[in-house]
Amino acid sequence: MTGARAFGKGVAIAALGATAVYGHVLYPAYIGYRSRGLTPSQPEDPEVWPGLSVVVSAYREAAVIGTKLDELTGTDYPGQMEIVVVADDAETAAAARRPGVRVLSSGERLGKARAVNRGVAAASHDVVVLTDANAVLAPHALRAAARHFTDETVGAVAGEKQVDDPAGAQGFYWKFESWLKQCESATGATIGVVGEMLAFRRKAFRPLPGDTAVDDAWLALDILESGLRVVYEPEAYSIETSAPDYDAEWERRTRIVAGNLDMLWRRREALVPGALPVTAQLWGHRLVRSSFGPMAHVALVALAVPAARHSWGARLFLVGNAAGAASAGVLMKGGTPPGPSRLVAQVFFLQAVALGGVRRFLAHDRPAVWPKPERQAPAAAQSPTQLPSAPEAASGPAGTPASRAS
């Protein structure tokens, strides 16, 4: 009986350990293995470029919306293009009004999903591009995304998000995300999209539920369920400034985790094995990494505490966790952990974020509309034509910058 109990405990610890590292180690290893030798398609320039409707949903963005519109009107996209701004407040609407820009103003806070619905309903072109008011698009981003729509199996193109983060903590996370999406896309499709740059076929769009907090992920899942693919394009990158502090980053990330869990619960049929080509991604990239993995980590720590009395392995495990938690504490207080501990700090911060997001999900705290301060213009705004080429940027290859207005 003693041997059976020991065996059962060993199996339980192994299962918890595998769950804890699945999202950050095992799933990346799996998708990296699956994509080995596969080269993502590189579409040629089309003879006739599709028309684009660029939709910017903005709330309390009066200080930055002008720069965003300068960026969009200054692109050299060779096809027809319209710009639609959905502004929920009068100040942003007033700052966005200019020739060639359509401004839809509700006079009330709609929330992102309802604003996207309104913008897409007003779009007149076959391809819609969603982008945020504070995200700086690469000058060639629209071209890079639009090329993919020559393939009729492509329903959406996910751009790359880069974060202007000199300390490197958040920047590493987005590099890791970009690598995952590149591997996933090489195998056929990715579920990883960002609202800073997302292009899709208007005919494939289904109106989003107004109470979803993750409009971009919900939209991508709609497109995938319709039988079309979501592909990743690193040249369609955007650069966004990092959060001003880790309190703001905590609020944003825990809200997104809670929103993702809400989406997966409401659309849990997509988690049934074989339901979608991206079901494994939903488990590895979304669900386990943001819920079961961190909870398994906590369970392992709880098991290690009593075991530390007689196990050096348990003691080392607890010491490593204490060091990681201390590094994350330095990060959250605005400091920069030294050397390799910067990566460890980011991992522990993300584990804590996931637990915070699970708590918010269970407490039904997953708002589609949340308090938002007035956006402040950056001290030294970077124009689109000053963007670095991708080898110099945070990650990803890029093409030749362009500056002619469409």
Side-chain angles (χ1 to χ4, degrees):
M1 290 297 294
T2 301
R5 282 197 296 270
F7 177 77
K9 186 176 180 180
V11 170
I13 291 174
L16 287 172
T19 304
V21 302
Y22 184 78
H24 294 292
V25 179
L26 298 182
Y27 173 72
Y30 158 77
I31 200 65
Y33 177 78
R34 273 200 63 198
S35 64
R36 72 195 188 287
L38 300 177
T39 303
S41 60
Q42 298 294 329
E44 301 291 334
D45 287 357
E47 293 183 8
V48 179
W49 290 84
L52 300 184
S53 295
V54 182
V55 175
V56 183
S57 302
Y59 175 67
R60 307 195 76 179
E61 304 278 11
V64 298
I65 192 66
T67 301
K68 181 67 178 184
L69 296 177
D70 289 342
E71 165 202 309
L72 291 173
T73 56
T75 187
D76 72 336
Y77 185 70
Q80 293 184 336
M81 189 178 86
E82 67 174 350
I83 301 171
V84 180
V85 175
V86 185
D88 283 359
D89 63 296
E91 293 77 13
T92 301
R97 288 194 176 96
R98 61 171 69 181
V101 176
R102 231 183 333 157
V103 178
L104 308 177
S105 183
S106 62
E108 63 173 329
R109 183 81 186 275
L110 297 177
K112 183 71 176 292
R114 291 172 62 198
V116 167
N117 287 343
R118 191 175 183 193
V120 176
S124 58
H125 291 304
D126 293 337
V127 175
V128 177
V129 177
L130 301 182
T131 182
D132 289 345
N134 65 314
V136 181
L137 292 181
H140 51 276
L142 298 179
R143 280 175 173 258
R147 291 189 186 106
H148 287 273
F149 292 101
T150 56
D151 184 343
E152 293 298 323
T153 69
V154 172
V157 178
E160 176 178 310
K161 178 175 178 175
Q162 299 176 7
V163 176
D164 182 12
D165 179 25
Q170 294 183 54
F172 175 83
Y173 169 80
W174 286 110
K175 289 179 182 179
F176 176 64
E177 278 289 296
S178 296
W179 177 80
L180 277 181
K181 287 184 279 192
Q182 191 157 9
C183 292
E184 291 170 347
S185 187
T187 65
T190 180
I191 189 60
V193 297
V194 291
E196 287 79 5
M197 174 63 206
L198 174 60
F200 56 90
R201 294 186 191 275
R202 184 163 57 93
K203 67 180 182 182
F205 178 80
R206 300 201 302 250
L208 305 170
D211 61 346
T212 182
V214 285
D215 54 284
D216 47 5
W218 192 289
L219 192 161
L221 196 50
D222 278 345
I223 289 173
L224 289 161
E225 285 184 341
S226 75
L228 296 173
R229 297 188 300 131
V230 178
V231 299
Y232 169 69
E233 177 48 73
E235 291 191 13
Y237 68 92
S238 64
I239 295 180
E240 188 176 64
T241 55
S242 58
D245 54 58
Y246 270 84
D247 287 341
E249 187 70 359
W250 174 270
E251 165 61 26
R252 185 183 72 85
R253 285 188 183 272
T254 56
R255 184 182 71 246
I256 292 172
V257 169
N260 271 315
L261 293 175
D262 176 62
M263 178 193 73
L264 292 171
W265 172 249
R266 291 160 69 177
R267 307 186 70 167
R268 51 193 177 275
E269 67 281 354
L271 295 173
V272 176
L276 292 173
V278 296
T279 294
Q281 295 180 27
L282 290 173
W283 280 94
H285 199 154
R286 297 274 181 179
L287 184 57
V288 176
R289 195 170 82 180
S290 62
S291 58
F292 297 132
M295 288 190 289
H297 188 169
V298 171
L300 286 171
V301 172
L303 289 173
V305 171
R309 291 192 299 250
H310 51 77
S311 169
W312 276 104
R315 292 172 198 165
L316 289 173
F317 179 72
L318 290 174
V319 168
N321 275 271
S327 296
V330 171
L331 194 69
M332 293 184 69
K333 290 181 180 179
T336 302
S341 65
R342 196 177 307 163
L343 170 58
V344 176
Q346 181 69 5
V347 170
F348 271 75
F349 173 70
L350 293 176
Q351 295 287 78
V353 160
L355 294 171
V358 170
R359 183 197 64 78
R360 292 185 69 167
F361 168 71
L362 294 175
H364 300 281
D365 178 17
R366 40 204 191 244
V369 177
W370 52 89
K372 180 182 176 182
E374 185 74 30
R375 181 90 62 189
Q376 301 299 314
Q382 190 178 33
S383 71
T385 54
Q386 293 173 321
L387 277 173
S389 60
E392 301 170 327
S395 64
T400 305
S403 59
R404 184 178 59 80
S406 62

